[in-house]
Amino acid sequence: MYTFGYFWLVILAILGAINSSQADLQLNFYAKTCPKAEEIVQDYVHEHIPNAPSLAATLIRMHFHDCFVRGCDASILLNFTSSSGNQTEKIAIPNQTVRGFDFIDRVKGLVEAECPGVVSCADIIALVARDSIVVTGGPFWRVPTGRRDGQISNAPEALTNIPAPFFNFTQLQTSFANKGLDLRDLVLLSGAHTIGIAHCFPGFSNRLYNFSGILGNQDPSLDSEYAANLKARKCKTINDTTTIVEMDPGSFRTFDLSYYRLLLKRRGLFQSDAALITSSTTLSYINQLLQGSLLNFYQEFALSMEKMGRIEVKTGSSGEIRKHCAFVNS
């Protein structure tokens, strides 16, 4: 009996260790230590995002990019310092077009004024991302809090871990699986591209001018009429780094299902968008979403966002609560 009981104690301990980081996140984590924290975040978002609604897309992208590198620990916010000697995630190619760092800093400043050293930058990113989408008319999702901030940020890790716009289906599947996300999550989280914008280069101009590394080649999986329009009106050269293109033309300010309809018309902007219809599994998920209601999409998207927000989180005594989001505590 002792051996049997001891065996189950060991199993429970292992399971507890596996789930501890997720278990330590909880809704209203700051209810006693900083009861106004989430209200402060929400009020600031409601005051400023309606005046700059395009920030909602970049803030949810920041959350995504943060979680895919060392987990949701605000490592994306850290600046280079001579003491660390590391070029941080901020300067990595995938993050060079991420905006909103100053927005996060201002929210952090307000929260710090209310409760110094209590609320993490990682939680602020997660809350701001959610509230920004909601205030622009998109879906609500639960944000359990209690994340702590990481103390390491390396640019090469961002390049390695963040899914690239030129990824094929197999690369996407592997990238998401490495973070505990499945193919349904891949389809649903890609749905945030409905409010996305992209730069011609390095985002997708290779599909127009240099597909497969052959100059003059156009990606045959991209609708030819759409490609011709992009060349004529948007990305007139392969190296255009300034022109911005809507990922869901005509509907990019509305969090809806039209992104998926464009995929079926072979008008996904990135190769990674087009890749979603190359698998029978993800294509089936897309068709299911399109046959369902917008509310159903919102509910499913919410579940995947909450799941993403739990990736490799630091809780308890791991990490720290940064005083300033761009720097580790001295």
Side-chain angles (χ1 to χ4, degrees):
M1 282 296 290
Y2 175 81
T3 304
F4 182 77
Y6 181 73
F7 168 78
W8 280 109
L9 283 173
V10 171
I11 293 297
L12 288 170
I14 292 170
L15 290 174
I18 291 171
N19 292 315
S20 62
S21 66
Q22 294 194 4
D24 288 341
L25 291 186
Q26 55 186 274
L27 293 171
N28 301 313
F29 178 83
Y30 301 107
K32 293 182 179 178
T33 55
C34 191
K36 292 184 179 178
E38 295 193 24
E39 182 184 343
I40 291 170
V41 174
Q42 188 179 74
D43 286 350
Y44 190 83
V45 168
H46 280 235
E47 182 181 355
H48 294 281
I49 290 296
N51 299 323
S54 63
L55 259 183
T58 197
L59 289 166
I60 195 172
R61 182 175 176 227
M62 178 192 289
H63 184 29
F64 179 89
H65 283 205
D66 181 45
C67 291
F68 264 67
V69 187
R70 293 185 169 267
C72 312
D73 69 346
S75 53
I76 192 173
L77 302 180
L78 287 172
N79 286 347
F80 168 82
T81 61
S82 55
S83 59
S84 72
N86 289 332
Q87 290 293 345
T88 59
E89 294 169 34
K90 261 187 186 179
I91 64 97
I93 289 173
N95 292 329
Q96 287 176 3
T97 52
V98 173
R99 297 180 297 126
F101 296 107
D102 55 338
F103 191 94
I104 298 294
D105 286 340
R106 290 196 293 273
V107 175
K108 173 65 170 175
L110 293 172
V111 175
E112 281 293 299
E114 177 73 17
C115 314
V118 174
V119 180
S120 69
C121 299
D123 277 340
I124 288 174
I125 293 177
L127 290 166
V128 164
R130 189 269 311 278
D131 292 347
S132 297
I133 296 299
V134 171
V135 80
T136 52
F140 172 90
W141 62 91
R142 301 189 314 165
V143 180
T145 44
R147 298 166 189 79
R148 288 172 65 84
D149 298 323
Q151 296 162 295
I152 298 171
S153 181
N154 293 317
E157 293 181 357
L159 203 56
T160 303
N161 287 280
I162 296 171
F166 52 78
F167 269 13
N168 61 32
F169 173 76
T170 302
Q171 291 169 311
L172 288 170
Q173 183 178 29
T174 300
S175 179
F176 274 64
N178 287 342
K179 303 303 175 184
L181 301 173
D182 59 27
L183 293 179
R184 184 174 287 275
D185 298 316
L186 168 60
V187 169
L188 288 162
L189 294 174
S190 296
H193 285 176
T194 185
I195 58 166
I197 54 174
H199 290 78
C200 298
F201 184 83
F204 60 92
S205 60
N206 65 303
R207 299 186 74 195
L208 303 173
Y209 297 104
N210 192 35
F211 189 65
S212 300
I214 302 172
L215 196 61
N217 258 24
Q218 184 173 294
D219 185 349
S221 71
L222 184 62
D223 176 71
S224 57
E225 184 180 337
Y226 184 43
N229 182 56
L230 287 170
K231 284 180 176 179
R233 300 185 180 184
K234 297 291 184 178
C235 308
K236 297 180 181 179
T237 65
I238 188 172
N239 295 318
D240 182 346
T241 58
T242 56
T243 302
I244 291 172
V245 179
E246 299 166 9
M247 299 191 73
D248 186 359
S251 179
F252 88 107
R253 292 195 185 279
T254 308
F255 208 105
D256 57 20
L257 289 160
S258 62
Y259 163 77
Y260 297 114
R261 294 189 189 97
L262 289 175
L263 294 187
L264 297 186
K265 294 177 180 177
R266 298 190 297 118
R267 294 190 171 195
L269 203 56
F270 293 159
Q271 279 177 256
S272 56
D273 294 317
L276 297 180
I277 63 170
T278 64
S279 152
S280 59
T281 303
T282 49
L283 180 58
S284 174
Y285 290 152
I286 290 168
N287 281 315
Q288 286 173 31
L289 287 170
L290 287 172
Q291 289 162 12
S293 65
L294 184 61
L295 177 60
N296 175 69
F297 169 46
Y298 279 13
Q299 290 171 338
E300 294 215 37
F301 181 82
L303 293 175
S304 288
M305 281 302 302
E306 186 176 341
K307 188 175 176 183
M308 187 195 81
R310 293 179 178 273
I311 295 175
E312 299 168 24
V313 293
K314 296 168 178 64
T315 59
S317 59
S318 299
E320 64 180 11
I321 304 297
R322 280 183 228 143
K323 295 173 185 172
H324 303 283
C325 289
F327 304 98
V328 297
N329 296 339
S330 55

